[in-house]
Amino acid sequence: MARQSNLMVALGVLSALGLVASTFWDAPQINNWLFRVSTLIMLATSWNLMANAGLVSLGHSAFWGVGSYAAILSANAWSGSVLGTLVVALLAGALMGLIVAAVTGGLKGIFFAISTLALSEGLRISALMLPDVTSGAVGLFLRQDLRPSQHTLYLVAALAAVASVGVAILISCSKLQFASRAMRDNEAAAQMLGIAPRRQRMIIVAISSAMASAAGAINAWYGGYLDPEVAFTLHNTILAQIAPILGGIHTLAGPVIGSFAIIALSEGTRIWFGNMEGVSQMTFGLVLVVCILFLPRGIEGVMHRRKKRQATAGAASPALATGRGGKS
Amino acid sequence: MHYIPQLIVDALLLGGIYTLMVIGLALSFGVTRVINFAHGEAVMIGAYGAYTIALVSGIDPLLALPLLMVIGCLFGMALFKVSIEPVLKAPHVNQILLTFGIGLVLQNAAVMIWKADERSVVTPYAYSSFQFGEVFVAGGRLIGFGVALVLVAALFFWLRRTEFGRATRALDEQRDAAVLVGINVKRMYALAFGLSVALGVATGVILSFIGAISPFMGFHILVKGFAIIVLGGLGSIVGAVLGAFLLAFAETAVSYYVPNGTGWAEAVAFAVLFLVLVLRPRGIIGQAVAD
């Protein structure tokens, strides 16, 4: 078992290095794919952090959108750099997360999901109705003189994706992980055990929201244009949940595997069906339905099961039942 | 202030349609405890069903309504059997994401079939209007309100007076006892779900002639529906009716009295939803929040 987890660590480090190194390779199409994979890894990891604590978010586009606006507005106002505005976006995201966690208090399950859904729609309409701040439906361009090289953005995205997974790993080794899992299973019992659910929830939601915000910020630099429909598009909410579900919910590797798979899938459908409207979203919907009904543990779960079967066949030992515990 | 009679009439008409829009959502949640994130898509499909029938055969949406509701009900029951029944005992996250995914599939199927453009069905009554003293009433809305009223009344009658209806209420109120007295839970679940889809379809048929329809309309309807049932109290059908009229009044008032009001009226639902969840999660007459 130890050898296997060492292998996993080695694979993880290698793919992280590979992702960062790839940005030095001048292949625009591949760079673009990996850029999208990187921001999706951040978004998916962020969603998974909340899901780990029993909080199903249907409003990740809200966090993403806030980060996008924070980045572009602060860049245009103070001629900020990518990293400078990334900090602004992280702070804006964390603040927003704190507010959401404070406001939603003890809401769980359906209620949390509904309030996040309403939050992203509410923000979209507010952005549309406050043109003095956001330029409304006309949209907002990043100042051309500020635009960094594409390579800088690929690199920032890759590093940020690695950092996000790093944060998720740190959390999985910390007390927060156990608190999250206890909260997911039974908040009242968690409280009895001396975990303060409200405080833990605020920390988790703030970290997760800051992470999604940062992804939105990097993407806004890359796109250079924002309007309320672009910033708060439901598409990001869908991507945020579908990648971890497909990859394997409540695991560290799941969101990463899922992000690669989803970008591959969306490119695949684009190549097969051209730009026919609705096809890629429809595929996402089907993936969601099929995964929930037939693959509730996602790709990671399938790989795990196969490995477990091989191991059991080889060693004929049933002592592997704990194999999954360390990861979830 | 001289708008007040007009405001009341507009809000009442809107409230009636909102009632029909959410009552199915409230019914299926009350019975199965699964909140259907694809309910908005049932409305959207109903609207396109009416549109297609009118386009192909020229049959008026109101005549097509019964047929579309029957199809909707059967489709809903089948969908329930195939997809929702297996996750009834699964964690909430699975139910939420599953119904969300079904909605996504239906929405994009509609994009592929009917394209993303806005459309509407033109009927003789759609653009007619009457004037009572100083109050204008749009004919389409009045007819829509009438149909909504009849359907909601029929649902209440069914729930109170028929065997199936009583069984449905029993499941809503005392699940374990209902099982003990021999109610076939799975069949009732499928029936309630099918009925809720049929009510959603009926809402869509009405919306097809009072405004523009598009494949993406379902999402806005869904969020509005949530605001209404959370406001009224999740799990209470009477609460849903109250919530529908309250939201209708709030939205109409905002669009009348706030500068740029028609734009902001769209945000009222989210503000209401957020406030209620924070201040009184059980809504006006709902039960305590359980997860």
Side-chain angles (χ1 to χ4, degrees):
Chain A
M1 216 49 214
R3 194 181 306 149
Q4 230 175 57
S5 64
N6 276 342
L7 188 73
M8 286 297 284
V9 171
L11 262 178
V13 172
L14 266 182
S15 31
L17 282 177
L19 184 63
V20 175
S22 76
T23 64
F24 291 93
W25 176 29
D26 186 27
Q29 183 61 70
I30 292 171
N31 291 146
N32 175 275
W33 283 334
L34 289 176
F35 177 85
R36 282 161 59 198
V37 170
S38 298
T39 49
L40 183 53
I41 288 175
M42 299 171 72
L43 193 63
T45 304
S46 150
W47 188 90
N48 199 39
L49 279 179
M50 281 199 204
N52 280 345
L55 303 169
V56 183
S57 159
L58 289 181
H60 255 58
S61 58
F63 307 124
W64 172 286
V66 164
S68 313
Y69 271 111
I72 299 268
L73 288 173
S74 62
N76 283 354
W78 305 307
S79 309
S81 64
V82 178
L83 289 182
T85 57
L86 199 55
V87 174
V88 176
L90 280 169
L91 290 177
L95 181 68
M96 166 108 164
L98 286 177
I99 296 172
V100 169
V103 165
T104 57
L107 298 179
K108 278 191 75 180
I110 303 168
F111 290 90
F112 185 82
I114 293 176
S115 27
T116 51
L117 189 69
L119 175 74
S120 69
E121 271 300 281
L123 283 176
R124 187 181 64 81
I125 291 172
S126 305
L128 207 57
M129 297 303 291
L130 296 170
D132 294 340
V133 186
T134 62
S135 307
V138 179
L140 190 64
F141 284 93
L142 178 70
R143 266 168 44 198
Q144 277 302 320
D145 57 306
L146 295 175
R147 287 203 101 163
S149 72
Q150 298 286 71
H151 170 250
T152 316
L153 289 172
Y154 296 143
L155 185 62
V156 169
L159 289 174
V162 172
S164 301
V165 178
V167 168
I169 293 173
L170 280 181
I171 291 178
S172 76
C173 303
S174 75
K175 207 182 109 192
L176 263 179
Q177 170 70 8
F178 298 100
S180 288
R181 215 157 65 196
M183 275 154 62
R184 182 169 92 221
D185 293 341
N186 189 335
E187 195 152 298
Q191 204 158 7
M192 302 283 270
L193 289 170
I195 295 164
R198 290 258 170 132
R199 211 184 62 214
Q200 306 287 357
R201 166 196 277 236
M202 284 186 114
I203 299 173
I204 288 281
V205 176
I207 294 176
S208 159
S209 157
M211 201 180 274
S213 249
I218 297 171
N219 190 64
W221 274 95
Y222 190 63
Y225 170 80
L226 275 186
D227 68 34
E229 306 296 333
V230 170
F232 296 106
T233 167
L234 187 65
H235 189 62
N236 287 323
T237 292
I238 295 164
L239 286 177
Q241 66 198 27
I242 194 174
I245 295 284
L246 178 60
I249 190 172
H250 307 320
T251 65
L252 285 169
V256 179
I257 300 172
S259 298
F260 277 98
I262 288 297
I263 298 295
L265 193 66
S266 84
E267 280 304 299
T269 51
R270 201 175 58 87
I271 291 165
W272 277 84
F273 297 96
N275 281 326
M276 194 169 146
E277 261 182 309
V279 174
S280 75
Q281 295 268 14
M282 171 118 163
T283 324
F284 291 166
L286 284 174
V287 168
L288 207 50
V289 172
V290 169
C291 279
I292 298 278
L293 287 178
F294 305 109
L295 285 178
R297 307 188 73 95
I299 298 173
E300 214 268 357
V302 173
M303 285 171 13
H304 223 103
R305 214 179 315 159
R306 179 163 308 154
K307 232 183 273 167
K308 209 164 127 183
R309 205 179 298 141
Q310 281 169 358
T312 338
S317 131
L320 286 161
T322 50
R324 193 161 286 161
K327 299 221 82 176
S328 66
Chain B
M1 284 293 128
H2 57 281
Y3 295 132
I4 285 181
Q6 181 76 52
L7 188 153
I8 292 173
V9 170
D10 284 354
L12 280 176
L13 292 183
L14 188 62
I17 293 166
Y18 279 180
T19 304
L20 183 61
M21 181 172 96
V22 298
I23 206 155
L25 199 56
L27 175 72
S28 68
F29 176 78
V31 175
T32 65
R33 297 286 143 183
V34 173
I35 197 139
N36 179 11
F37 280 80
H39 191 73
E41 271 62 39
V43 176
M44 182 269 296
I45 298 279
Y48 274 98
Y51 167 81
T52 308
I53 290 180
L55 193 72
V56 172
S57 63
I59 293 175
D60 190 280
L62 288 176
L63 293 176
L65 180 78
L67 174 71
L68 285 168
M69 282 184 74
V70 170
I71 296 173
C73 185
L74 294 176
F75 177 74
M77 289 171 82
L79 188 67
F80 183 86
K81 279 282 169 202
V82 174
S83 67
I84 297 175
E85 209 177 83
V87 298
L88 277 176
K89 293 208 160 65
H92 276 301
V93 53
N94 295 24
Q95 300 167 353
I96 295 170
L97 296 177
L98 177 74
T99 54
F100 193 88
I102 292 172
L104 207 54
V105 171
L106 292 175
Q107 183 195 81
N108 289 291
V111 171
M112 287 159 75
I113 299 171
W114 290 288
K115 305 288 168 237
D117 313 326
E118 292 199 331
R119 298 165 193 278
S120 68
V121 184
V122 181
T123 55
Y125 45 82
Y127 297 111
S128 64
S129 73
F130 314 96
Q131 190 178 0
F132 301 104
E134 296 211 327
V135 178
F136 283 95
V137 180
R141 282 188 182 249
L142 190 63
I143 290 173
F145 178 80
V147 174
L149 213 62
V150 170
L151 287 175
V152 171
L155 178 71
F156 272 92
F157 178 83
W158 183 80
L159 284 174
R160 304 265 158 205
R161 295 272 178 261
T162 66
E163 184 84 8
F164 271 132
R166 288 203 194 98
T168 311
R169 278 168 57 220
L171 275 175
D172 189 359
E173 286 158 18
Q174 287 283 335
R175 183 162 321 249
D176 299 337
V179 176
L180 284 177
V181 298
I183 291 172
N184 184 338
V185 177
K186 288 207 165 146
R187 202 174 62 193
M188 292 312 301
Y189 277 10
L191 184 64
F193 195 84
L195 271 181
S196 94
V197 172
L199 291 166
V201 164
T203 315
V205 173
I206 293 174
L207 291 180
S208 75
F209 61 79
I210 65 174
I213 62 173
S214 94
F216 307 107
M217 66 196 278
F219 183 67
H220 299 276
I221 288 171
L222 178 74
V223 183
K224 238 174 224 189
F226 283 152
I228 290 168
I229 55 175
V230 169
L231 177 61
L234 202 56
S236 159
I237 291 180
V238 180
V241 178
L242 262 174
F245 281 97
L246 280 174
L247 183 73
F249 268 94
E251 282 187 356
T252 314
V254 166
S255 66
Y256 272 50
Y257 293 112
V258 174
N260 269 332
T262 18
W264 281 116
E266 288 300 303
V268 170
F270 310 113
V272 164
L273 186 52
F274 232 73
L275 283 177
V276 176
L277 283 175
V278 174
L279 300 176
R280 192 181 159 81
R282 63 174 60 186
I284 301 170
I285 45 175
Q287 59 208 355
V289 175
D291 57 321

